[in-house]
Structures are given as C-alpha cells and as structure tokens.
C-alpha cells in the first residue's frame, strides 16, 4: 500500500478560512479517489498560515480492473437498436457480444466490458489539478501577468509551489507530475518565512512533518493551539496570575503563526477603571492578545503570541504591542467617559434615524413597540410594569453610543454600565444587558422578572414582525436568526416555569407591529383610512405621533370583534378590523405558533424527550367542557386537535406521559389502546368513520367484562377531566392506569366482532369510547410512530 503527500504552499491564508479549507481539501481528494475505485485506510489534513497539507495512507498502487456486463437488445432486434448497443458498449460487431437467455423475455445480447485499472499515480495526476483549479475558497484572487486571463488560477493568496509525492513506505516515493497555471508539482517545500526560509526536499509525510518542525513550522493546528495554551498558562502562573481562556481567540491566533512564541506585556493600571469587558474587547479585537486576571479581577498584564524567536527575547515585540494597546485603551477610555456624559434617554431620538428593517420601521419605532409589549407581559411574569417599560425604552439606547459603535459585541452590556452609572434601578440596568439573552443553547437565560419581560418582548416583536412581512426561515436559511429567537423564548418560558398563552401574546405584539410594518393593514391604512373623508388630520405619510394617536383610537377594534353581518353601517376602520383583520391576524398567529411547536420539539428532543411522546402530548383532543380554553384555540388542520400554546403545560404533559409509559400499567395499557385502535380502524373502513361516534347502549352489554370496562371508562372519563382541569397530568395518567386490568380482561374474554350485528356495533362503540377517553389526555396512537383516529 502507498501514501500520498500533498502540500499547497502560498502567501498567508486568513485564519478564519484555514480549518474549512483543510476539510475541503481532504473531502475533495478522498471523494475523487473513491469515485475512481481507490479506497484508502486513512486521511488527515493540516493547515498553517502559509500552507495546506494532506496525507492519505493505505492507497493501492493501481485501480482495480473493471468487468461489466451490459444488457443489450433482444436477438433479432432492429438494426438501429443493435448499432446503438454496439456503439455504447464499444464493440466492433455482434461477434464480440454473447447471447443470454431469459425464460420470459427470450434471448438477448450481452456485452462484457473489461477495462484494466490505471496506475494510482496517473489517476492522482488527473484529479489533483482539477481540484486545485476549482477549490471552493470563500474569497479568492488572481495575481501576476496571468491574472489578465479569465481562466487563470484563483487562490486565496498567491500560490507559490505544490508538493505531491506518492509511494510505499519501503521505497522512495515518486513525484505526482502535473502542472497548474505554470506551477509544476515537485517535492520541495519551505520552512518558516523568517527563521528557516531555505528550500526543503521531502519524501513522505513523516519526514515532511519532521523537516518542517526543524524549520520552525508546526504543521498541526491542534498542536499549535496546545502549545499556545500551555505556554500562556505557564507564563501567567509564574506571575501568580490566571489566563482568561478564549477558545475562539485561541483558534484564530493558532492560525496566525507557524511557530508560536508566547510573551507577556503590560499596560498602565489607570486603564483598569474602564469596564473589564471593554479592556478585554480592545485587547482581543485589535491585538489578538489574551488578558489575565487575579482573584476574579482583570490585571494590567496580557499575553501575546509572536511568530518569531527574537534575538532580544521578544522585548521589541512586547514593547510594540504595549504601545498599540495603550493607544487603543486610551481611545476606549475616551469613548467610555464621553458616553457617560449623555443620558440614555437623551439618545433615544437618534434611534429614529436607524432603520431596523426596510419593512419593519426604525429602531425607534421598534423600541416603542417593545416597551408597550414588555409592559403588557409584566403581569404575566411577575414584573413591575413601570420597570419593565422603562428598561425596554432604554434597552437599545447604547446602540448609538461611541463604545458600541467601536465594539458592537458590547451592546447591552454597555447599556447596563451606563444605566447603573446614571442612577437607574438595578432591575432596569440588568434588563438592558440581559434582554439579548440567550444568544445560544449554552448561554444563560434572564431570571429577573423585568429582564424576562424585556427579553420576551424583544424576541416576540422580532418574530411577529418578520411573520407579518412574510420573511420566515426557509430550509437551512435563517438570515434574521428567527429560530434562535424562538428557542430563546422557549428557554426563558420553560426554565423560569412561566405560564404564558402564546396566542394572546402574539395578538398583543401584532397590534403594535401592524402599524409600523409594511403589512396588509399598513397598505390598507394608507389606501383607505388616510383619506380626508375618514381622517382629515392625517396626511399620506403619517408621523410617529399620528400613528400613535391612531393606535390608541382603534386598538379596541382589534380586540373586540363584533358581528360582521350587522346592519349598522361601519366606518372604514371598523369594517377592516371587524371583518378583514381578524382572519389575517389569526392566520399569522397560527403559523407562528406552529413554528414555535416545531422549535419546542427540537428543544425537548435535545433534552432527551422522545419525539413520539411530544407528538402524543400535542395531539390530545379538546376538552368537552365548553368553558375550556381549548375551544378558543385554532386547530392543527381541519378537524385536528387544537394547537397548544402553553409551552410549560406541553412540557409537563410530555414528562408525565414518559413517566406513565415507563410503568407496566402504562406499557400494557398502550398495547391495549393500539389493539382497540387497530380494530376500530379496520372496522371503520366497512362501517364508515362516524359509525361509532355515539355512546354504546348499556342494555346491549351481556358479558360481565363489558360492564366492568364500561364502568372503568366512565370513571376514567370523570377522573381525567377533573385532573386535566387542574392541569394535574400525572393524576390524569394515574386515572388512565386503572383501565389496564379491565381492558386486558375484555380482550381476553370478549369477542368484539360478534355474529350478532347489534352486539358487534355496541362493543365497537365501547372501544371507541375507550379511545376517546385516552385521547383526551394524549394521542397514544402517535407513540412509536403509529397513529390513531378519533
């Protein structure tokens, strides 16, 4: 078996592109080999700032021979069919084909095509140039005189040389000969740009990696990361300090150096008066350095990573970095002190000049919507309405500050610092920072009530707004991070144990969004309401104040829908809200709720919940109690179960269902349910779907087992209804568990499909009652992938 070594040596590759480029190189080469029948034992790709390298081990020396039998036309077929067969099979005449027999189709021609496998080194010489020419860099360039040609090589930075060798371990490998845009492959590479720039002749990967190591190049990025991290920790420990680890920065720095050398620098202690996050951002973003701490407080020391071993021990490198960092921190200090002079509320008018989205208005309009929604949400989450509204009003003010303009990643955080310094309530300051959270699955969630209200309002305004303008996620595309926003709402609600009816909240958000967004209502408003006859005080382009006045005057119409068939004449605004708007709003809200349910399924699955149990919990039939809120919920499709909008209730039901099915009673009752459901589905095909909709007749029960099951069903119906009304899902499951024994006895001793038609119908109706009672708690037919119909 033989090994391949490939190196593409160039000018500096951006650190952010190196990992993906190494993966792409490995994928493209190995896929091309496998497509040509060349399997391998292993492959590994590496990247440094100046090179991509690939090692493929365990390749055969040549392709396997190919033998293919290609079926042709029947014997005696028309000449045109035979000629086409001969041409496609590469045969000169029918004498080179053989005749095969088929008992049904008779005799037909078969061409036996045999091709000798090519030498692997020749296959490599064929596929490698094509891969290099079409390499998928996110950004690439042409260079030199060849750049005048449209077909010249494009690479991320100018490509200087190509190493390509192939051969077994026991022999000297050969060069895979090819050329790409004037660059011929060979076996010569180069070491570190400054420390060892001399050419190096290599054979296979082992001596290639060892030679580069001697030439001050660490080829493996994982090893460079380990060296940086280990040496940085050692330097910090020697000074009694602790490294503030940063995985993303570590990856980036490892992509900037081929020979990492860690050094320590310092800055003036007066800069420690700046918020520590600002210091870290300044040093991280501008100089790619790590900060150090002691006793959980930042110190005035930092770790830098050099790409050279300086003769002066790095003193000059450290001094240069210290000068740049001092200048950057001086700027940051100036920004911070300047920002503190302007109160947050005084910055709000500038938000009206920032467009959030061309169809959703400005940041100023959005802040006013969030503030109104946060005030409404406050009572649902136990927050003070004034504090929630105040925090929401100020939550985006830091976007127009000098500091956030320089470091956008500090938005929210700087708002908290400014709010605290300007005497705002601590809950308001915390909410300004926390309303962006969670920003990922591992990020912490807000827990203070005011923070919860603002965080929910911010995310729900985004979701309702983008739904209103029909900018929803499609497939893998989610440019506005709406899936993350929905998951954030789910986490905040569930992890804080909140009872929130999403449809009610959607309606509140819709009332606000529809005035600012380019929605059907906005278009109707501009085309009908803003006419002199109906609103003479409003011009074609309503101002913020005019829209606010309109909102106050007609919000009641959106929530108090009246009879559309009334004989009373309706003004245009009333007509719209009473007849047209409710249906549009409900359609948007229902679609958004279904999106939330899909996200909830993902969240619960990640927590270990079974997908089928989630579907079962969501598929419960509505309560028969007319006072139940289930009757106010839209249905999941025509005749389907109501769409559940209480995330905490759904989650508790899934947990109760999982606990129930882990018991013997639960498992056995599930088996009985499926047996009853399968019988009913089979018989409904004969009798019709509505044949068993009526209650069974007690006078047609002749077996004691029937009486016992009927009594158990009646008792379970009452008990489950009582437990469900109290949202005691575990109690509802316990009530169902009492059905296990009568169900088992019924199926053991009673023939459902009796010869007497009346008895058969009555027993099927009894089983239909069993199914309905159980589906009132959960759709047990969804468990383990099966389905049942109520």
């Amino acid at each position: 078996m033989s090994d391949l070594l490939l190196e593409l040596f160039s000018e500096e590759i951006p650190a952010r592109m190196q990992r993906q480029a190494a993966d792409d190189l490995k994928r493209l080469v190995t896929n091309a080999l496998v497509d040509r029948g060349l399997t391998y034992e292993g492959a590994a790709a590496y990247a440094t700032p100046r090179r991509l390298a690939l090692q493929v081990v365990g390749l055969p020396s040549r392709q396997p021979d190919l033998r293919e039998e290609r079926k042709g036309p029947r014997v005696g077929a028309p000449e045109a069919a035979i000629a086409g067969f001969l041409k496609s099979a590469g045969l000169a005449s029918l004498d080179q084909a053989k005749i095969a027999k088929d008992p049904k189709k008779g005799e037909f021609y078969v061409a036996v095509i045999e091709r000798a496998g090519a030498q692997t080194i020749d296959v490599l010489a064929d596929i490698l140039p094509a891969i290099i020419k079409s390499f998928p860099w996110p950004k690439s360039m042409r260079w030199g005189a060849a750049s005048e040609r449209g077909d010249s090589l494009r690479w991320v930075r100018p490509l200087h040389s190509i190493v390509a060798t192939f051969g077994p371990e026991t022999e000297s490998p050969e060069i895979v000969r090819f050329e790409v845009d004037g660059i011929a492959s060979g076996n010569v590479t180069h070491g570190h740009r400054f420390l060892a720039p001399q050419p190096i002749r290599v054979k296979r990967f082992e001596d290639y990696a060892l030679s580069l190591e001697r030439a001050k190049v660490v080829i493996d990025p994982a090893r460079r990361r380990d060296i940086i991290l280990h040496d940085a920790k050692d330097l910090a420990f020697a000074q009694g300090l602790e490294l503030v680890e940063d995985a993303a920065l570590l990856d980036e720095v490892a992509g900037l150096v081929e020979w990492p050398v860690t050094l320590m620098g310092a800055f003036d202690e007066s800069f420690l008066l700046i918020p520590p996050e600002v210091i870290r951002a300044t040093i991280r973003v501008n100089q790619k350095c790590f900060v150090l701490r002691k006793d959980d407080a930042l110190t005035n020391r930092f770790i830098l990573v050099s790409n050279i071993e300086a003769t002066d021990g790095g003193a000059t490198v450290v001094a240069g970095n210290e000068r740049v960092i001092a200048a950057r921190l001086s700027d940051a200090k100036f920004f911070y002190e300047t920002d503190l002079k302007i109160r947050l509320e005084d910055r709000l008018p500038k938000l009206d000049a920032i467009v959030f989205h061309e169809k959703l208005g400005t940041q100023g309009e959005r802040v006013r919507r969030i503030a109104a929604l946060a005030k409404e949400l406050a009572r649902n989450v136990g927050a003070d309405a004034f504090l929630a509204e105040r925090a929401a009003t100020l939550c985006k003010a830091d976007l127009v500050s000098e500091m956030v303009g320089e470091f956008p990643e500090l938005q929210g955080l700087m708002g908290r610092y400014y709010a605290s310094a300007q005497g705002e309530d601590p809950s308001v300051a915390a909410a300004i920072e926390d309303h962006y959270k969670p920003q990922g699955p591992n990020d912490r969630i807000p827990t203070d009530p005011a923070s919860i209200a603002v965080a929910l309002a911010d995310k729900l305004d985004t979701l309702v707004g983008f739904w209103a303008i029909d900018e929803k996620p499609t497939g893998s595309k989610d440019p506005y991070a709406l899936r993350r926003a929905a998951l954030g709402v789910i986490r905040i609600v569930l992890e804080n144990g909140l009872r929130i009816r999403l449809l009610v909240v959607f309606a509140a958000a819709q009332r606000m969004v529809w005035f600012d967004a380019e929605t059907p209502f906005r278009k109707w408003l501009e085309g009908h309401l803003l006419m002199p006859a109906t609103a003479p005080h409003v011009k074609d382009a309503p101002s913020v104040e005019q829209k606010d006045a309109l909102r106050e005057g007609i919000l009641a119409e959106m929530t108090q829908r009246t009879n559309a068939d009334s004989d009373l004449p309706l003004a245009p605004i009333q007509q719209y809200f009473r007849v047209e708007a409710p249906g549009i709003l409900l359609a948007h809200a229902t679609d958004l709720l279904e999106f939330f349910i899909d996200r909830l399924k993902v969240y619960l699955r990640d927590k270990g919940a079974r997908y089928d149990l989630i579907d079962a919990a969501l598929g419960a039939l509505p309560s028969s109690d007319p006072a139940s809120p289930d009757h106010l919920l839209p249905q999941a499709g025509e005749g389907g179960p109501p769409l559940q909008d209480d995330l905490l209730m759904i989650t508790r039901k899934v947990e109760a269902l999982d606990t129930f099915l882990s018991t013997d009673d639960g498992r056995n009752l599930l088996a009985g349910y499926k047996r009853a459901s399968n019988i009913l589905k089979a018989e409904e095909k004969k009798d019709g779907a509505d044949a068993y909709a009526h209650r069974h007749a007690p006078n047609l029960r002749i077996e004691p087992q029937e009486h016992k099951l009927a009594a158990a069903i009646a008792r379970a119906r009452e008990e489950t209804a009582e437990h469900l009304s109290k949202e005691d899902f575990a109690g509802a499951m316990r009530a169902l568990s009492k059905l296990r024994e009568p169900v088992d006895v019924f199926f053991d001793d009673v023939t459902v499909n009796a010869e007497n038609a009346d008895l058969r119908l009555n027993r099927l109706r009894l089983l239909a009652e069993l199914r309905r009672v159980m589906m009132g708690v959960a759709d047990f037919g969804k468990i383990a992938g099966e389905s049942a119909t109520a």
Side-chain angles (χ1 to χ4, degrees), residues 3-6 44-46 53-57 165 173 202-212 219-220:
D3 300 342
L4 166 68
L5 168 63
L6 176 66
Y46 306 91
L54 174 67
Q55 175 196 24
V56 183
V57 299
T165 67
V202 297
K203 296 181 179 180
R204 53 181 58 83
F205 182 80
E206 287 74 16
D207 78 285
Y208 166 78
L210 186 60
S211 298
L212 284 179
I219 188 68
D220 187 352

Side-chain angles (χ1 to χ4, degrees), residues 262-266 302 304 312-324:
T262 57
L263 303 167
M264 182 180 291
F302 62 90
L304 64 96
D312 63 355
T316 303
V317 174
V318 170
N321 277 269
E322 287 178 340
R323 283 195 300 273
V324 175

Side-chain angles (χ1 to χ4, degrees), residues 212-338:
L212 284 179
E213 186 90 16
R214 287 195 287 261
K216 308 298 184 182
V217 174
V218 178
I219 188 68
D220 187 352
R223 186 159 167 260
R224 293 198 301 276
R225 287 194 295 271
D226 290 343
I227 291 171
I228 294 169
L229 186 60
H230 179 270
D231 291 354
K233 286 183 175 180
D234 283 353
L235 273 178
F237 181 76
Q239 298 295 322
L241 306 175
E242 180 186 1
L243 178 72
V244 178
E245 296 188 34
D246 187 327
L249 179 60
L250 182 61
D251 282 341
E252 184 177 7
V253 172
L256 296 174
V257 297
E258 290 194 317
W259 190 253
V261 177
T262 57
L263 303 167
M264 182 180 291
F267 55 84
D268 194 287
E269 288 188 354
S270 64
F271 291 124
L272 293 176
L273 297 175
I274 305 172
E277 295 87 353
V278 174
I279 296 174
R280 184 177 178 183
T282 301
I283 292 176
R284 181 189 194 278
V285 172
N286 293 309
Q287 286 304 106
K288 313 302 180 188
C289 295
F290 298 86
V291 295
L292 302 173
R293 64 188 170 202
K294 184 175 183 179
D295 298 329
D296 294 327
L298 281 191
T299 69
N300 67 325
R301 301 294 183 91
F302 62 90
I303 296 289
L304 64 96
V305 182
S306 173
N307 193 35
I308 60 172
E309 292 177 340
T311 55
D312 63 355
T316 303
V317 174
V318 170
N321 277 269
E322 287 178 340
R323 283 195 300 273
V324 175
I325 285 176
R328 295 293 189 179
L329 289 176
S330 294
D331 291 342
K333 184 179 180 182
F334 172 78
F335 293 150
Y336 180 61
E337 292 173 348
T338 301

